[in-house]
Amino acid sequence: MRRPVIVGNWKMFKLLSESVELVLDLKPKVVNSHHCDIVVAPPFTVLKTVNDRLEGSNIKTAGQNLCEQTGQGAFTGEISGAMLKDLGCCYVIIGHSERRQYYQETNDIVSKKTRAALNAGLKPIVCVGERLEERENNEMEKVVGQQVYDGLSGLTEQELSLILIAYEPVWAIGTGRTATPEIAASMHKFIRSVLSKNWGKELSENIRILYGGSVKPDNISSLMAEPDIDGALVGGASLEANSFAQIVNYK
Ligand code: PGA
C-alpha cells in the first residue's frame, strides 16, 4: 500500500517573515492529518528557519533543487545535498519543468542530481512531464518515458525504492488548466509500466507517483481517487495555509 504524500512547492515566493507566518498558520490545520506525508519546499534562504519552526511536527521539508556535485567544492552559488540534509530536509525536488525550461536541465543532469540526492541521504522527487506541443503531437509517452528512464538510470533497487516521481504536464503548471483525472491517471499508469518494464513489477508497485499542475482544493479529491495517483505536488495553492491544508485534508 503506497502512503499518499502532498508536497507544497513554494518556488521563488516568501520572505522570511512570510514563511514563518505560513508554517505557523499551517501546522495546527494539519496536525491531525495522519493519512498522508506532508512536505513543504521553501526557498533555500528560509529553510533553516522553517525547519526550526516545524521541529516535532508532522510536516517535513524538501529543497527545490540541489547541485549535482557531491561533497564540497568551488561551485559558486550552488547548494549541495549534504547542506540540505544538514538543515533538516528529508526530500529534494529534482528536474522541475521550470529548471528544465529556464536553466537547461537535461535528463542527464537530472540523473546526476538524483544520484547526488541519494548520496546525501535525501529522497529525490523526480519531476517529469510533457510540453503542450509534445502532447499535441502525441509524443507524451515517448518524452515522459525517456525522462523516467534516463533520470533513474544506474540506480540500484534499494535506491529506486527511495524515489518519488512527480508527473507534471508543463501545460498544466500555473495555468489553471489541470489535467483531467483521466489524463493524469493514464500517464501515471504509463509511468508505472515504464518502471515495471525496466526495474520489475514489485518495485513499480511501491514507487509513489505524484500529480502536479494546478492542483487546488476543488480538484484534489477527484485526482486522489485514481488508484495510480499517490499524491500531489502543489505550487500556487501551497502558498496559502488554508488552501494547502484543504488539499492535505482531501479525504
Ligand atoms: P501549480 O504548480 O500548482 O501552481 O500549477 C505546480 C508545480 O509547478 O509544482
Side-chain angles (χ1 to χ4, degrees):
M1 196 57 196
R2 297 181 296 268
R3 183 168 162 78
V5 52
I6 306 289
V7 184
N9 174 11
W10 295 5
K11 308 192 181 184
M12 198 174 76
F13 290 93
K14 301 291 176 193
L15 302 176
L16 193 54
S17 58
E18 297 166 333
S19 308
V20 171
E21 208 176 301
L22 174 53
V23 286
L24 292 186
D25 201 3
L26 180 63
K27 266 204 299 192
K29 293 185 164 70
V30 299
V31 69
N32 293 317
S33 312
H34 303 300
H35 60 282
C36 67
D37 292 337
I38 309 167
V39 183
V40 293
F44 293 139
T45 47
V46 305
L47 262 176
K48 164 82 174 113
T49 309
V50 165
N51 269 318
D52 286 349
R53 297 300 180 128
L54 290 177
E55 210 181 327
S57 80
N58 56 341
I59 308 172
K60 304 270 186 267
T61 58
Q64 295 179 15
N65 182 27
L66 84 168
C67 181
E68 68 274 20
Q69 304 289 338
T70 39
Q72 308 197 26
F75 301 102
T76 302
E78 292 293 318
I79 303 286
S80 71
M83 290 170 178
L84 294 175
K85 186 78 184 167
D86 188 41
L87 291 186
C89 291
C90 296
Y91 299 82
V92 59
I93 298 172
I94 297 175
H96 189 280
S97 65
E98 286 150 16
R99 302 288 324 164
R100 294 178 187 263
Q101 189 178 348
Y102 306 133
Y103 302 98
Q104 291 75 47
E105 286 196 7
T106 59
N107 290 346
D108 181 47
I109 293 177
V110 170
S111 160
K112 290 191 171 108
K113 290 191 171 191
T114 303
R115 152 77 40 226
L118 289 164
N119 285 347
L122 295 164
K123 289 184 185 149
I125 303 171
V126 179
C127 301
V128 299
E130 79 284 0
R131 289 179 287 125
L132 182 59
E133 57 273 30
E134 291 163 341
R135 172 154 290 267
E136 285 170 350
N137 292 336
N138 206 24
E139 290 171 344
M140 57 272 184
E141 293 196 349
K142 183 171 146 240
V143 171
V144 170
Q146 199 68 48
Q147 289 173 334
V148 171
Y149 182 76
D150 290 352
L152 306 187
S153 68
L155 301 182
T156 65
E157 235 174 74
Q158 150 70 12
E159 289 169 331
L160 283 163
S161 70
L162 300 170
I163 300 276
L164 291 83
I165 293 177
Y167 169 63
E168 298 205 302
V170 180
W171 47 270
I173 296 177
T175 57
R177 199 178 148 186
T178 331
T180 61
E182 295 71 32
I183 291 180
S186 104
M187 288 304 288
H188 281 228
K189 201 163 171 215
F190 168 71
I191 291 169
R192 219 175 284 289
S193 76
V194 173
L195 295 171
S196 174
K197 196 169 116 209
N198 290 289
W199 295 287
K201 188 165 166 46
E202 195 184 326
L203 197 124
S204 77
E205 292 295 332
N206 289 331
I207 292 187
R208 291 182 286 180
I209 307 177
L210 286 58
Y211 168 77
S214 297
V215 173
K216 306 283 178 227
D218 61 4
N219 58 27
I220 183 70
S221 308
S222 54
L223 289 161
M224 291 304 289
E226 296 291 340
D228 272 312
I229 300 183
D230 306 314
L233 180 51
V234 186
S238 73
L239 296 175
E240 206 261 316
N242 271 332
S243 55
F244 189 59
Q246 280 178 53
I247 291 173
V248 168
N249 297 322
Y250 64 89
K251 269 180 173 278

